[in-house]
């Protein structure tokens, strides 16, 4: 089965990559985001289906030709049944590592061998194709900002934007930022909380439109809602202040 150069989880991994803090991508929030993207991709391809809330392989033999997706599909086949939210977190690091290596092979990331304390071997990853990551970021901004009607946004672009918003990546996490349509030019935008609330409402409406575009079938929409909820929960947990 042919695949696009960058799968949905690969796009999400690149979107999460901060050149100033490359190690920040190797965190549970991003692991969960990349796994969520892989689950959605497998559902879109018809290889996973929702069976009363349980992630279920459509058959025992089909493959995608993408080692990351096929590895996850094999894991689901060989594991006890789980719902979609548990699968977002279960061994999510495995999928993230596989996607990262795939991005290295495709030249989007660069693996640099280091030695910790001059003795212990280690590998650090750096962004090799900044233009590719920037183009992805610009596309997510455009999609979330409503510059294109939701019905004209490609389904995969819509899925990337919805999942990125769930993980609050960059402008995707700012309801009143540059990515919000009209937020900067709204009367009183700099003066009152009402405009921020209005921006947040428009943002939620836009994300709902994009979710409908990304998942036109009710079963897929349910899966997208579940995995986005799991990513949002992990993001909120990560950003929650710690008491002391």
């Amino acid at each position: 089965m042919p695949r696009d150069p960058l799968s949905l989880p690969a796009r999400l991994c690149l979107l999460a990559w901060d050149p100033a803090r490359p190690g920040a991508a190797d965190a549970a929030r991003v692991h969960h985001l990349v796994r969520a993207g892989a689950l959605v991709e497998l559902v879109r391809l018809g290889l996973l289906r929702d069976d009363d809330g349980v992630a279920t392989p459509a058959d025992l033999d089909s493959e995608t030709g993408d080692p990351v997706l096929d590895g996850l599909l094999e894991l689901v086949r060989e594991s006890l049944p789980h719902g979609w939210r548990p699968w977002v977190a279960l061994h999510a690091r495995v999928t993230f590592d596989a996607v990262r290596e795939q991005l290295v092979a495709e030249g989007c990331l660069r693996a640099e061998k280091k030695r910790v304390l001059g003795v212990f071997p280690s590998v650090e990853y750096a962004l090799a194709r900044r233009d590719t990551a920037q183009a992805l970021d610009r596309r997510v901004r455009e999609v979330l900002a409503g510059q294109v009607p939701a019905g004209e946004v490609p389904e995969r672009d819509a899925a990337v934007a919805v999942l990125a918003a769930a993980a609050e990546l960059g402008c995707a996490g700012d309801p009143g930022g540059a990515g919000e349509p009209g937020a900067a030019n709204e009367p009183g935008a700099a003066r009152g909380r009402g405009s921020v609330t209005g921006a947040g409402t428009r943002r939620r409406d836009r994300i709902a439109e994009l979710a409908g575009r990304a998942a036109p079938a009710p079963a897929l929409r349910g899966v997208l809602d579940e995995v986005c909820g799991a990513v949002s929960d992990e993001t909120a947990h990560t950003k929650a202040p710690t008491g002391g």
Side-chain angles (χ1 to χ4, degrees), residues 50-163:
D50 180 73
D51 186 2
D52 198 21
V54 175
T56 305
D59 58 59
L60 298 178
D61 301 312
S62 297
E63 294 183 342
T64 67
D66 182 320
V68 172
L69 298 177
D70 290 339
L72 175 55
L73 193 57
E74 182 178 3
L75 180 62
V76 175
R77 286 171 176 157
E78 294 179 351
S79 301
L80 294 172
H82 294 288
W84 298 100
R85 285 185 179 238
W87 268 121
V88 169
L90 191 62
H91 306 304
R93 174 65 182 266
V94 173
T95 299
F96 171 80
D97 286 347
V99 169
R100 186 174 58 185
E101 293 305 318
Q102 187 179 67
L103 289 171
V104 170
E106 294 180 353
C108 294
L109 296 177
R110 181 174 60 254
E112 301 174 342
K113 294 183 179 180
K114 305 281 186 179
R115 285 194 176 272
V116 179
L117 301 177
V119 178
F120 304 104
S122 178
V123 178
E124 293 182 0
Y125 296 86
L127 193 59
R129 290 185 183 169
R130 188 181 295 255
D131 57 337
T132 300
Q134 290 175 335
L136 282 169
D137 182 73
R138 284 194 300 270
R139 181 56 177 164
V140 170
R141 289 174 182 266
E142 292 170 357
V143 169
L144 286 172
Q147 296 180 17
V148 180
E152 297 178 14
V153 176
E155 290 182 12
R156 181 174 281 165
D157 285 1
V160 169
V162 171
L163 285 161

Side-chain angles (χ1 to χ4, degrees), residues 12-17 24-36 92 96 167 169 231 234-235 238:
L12 291 166
C13 188
L14 271 186
L15 274 173
W17 209 273
D26 192 358
R29 175 174 68 113
V30 181
H31 299 171
H32 290 192
L33 172 65
V34 171
R35 168 59 68 77
F96 171 80
L169 294 183
V231 171
E234 177 59 28
T235 300
T238 300

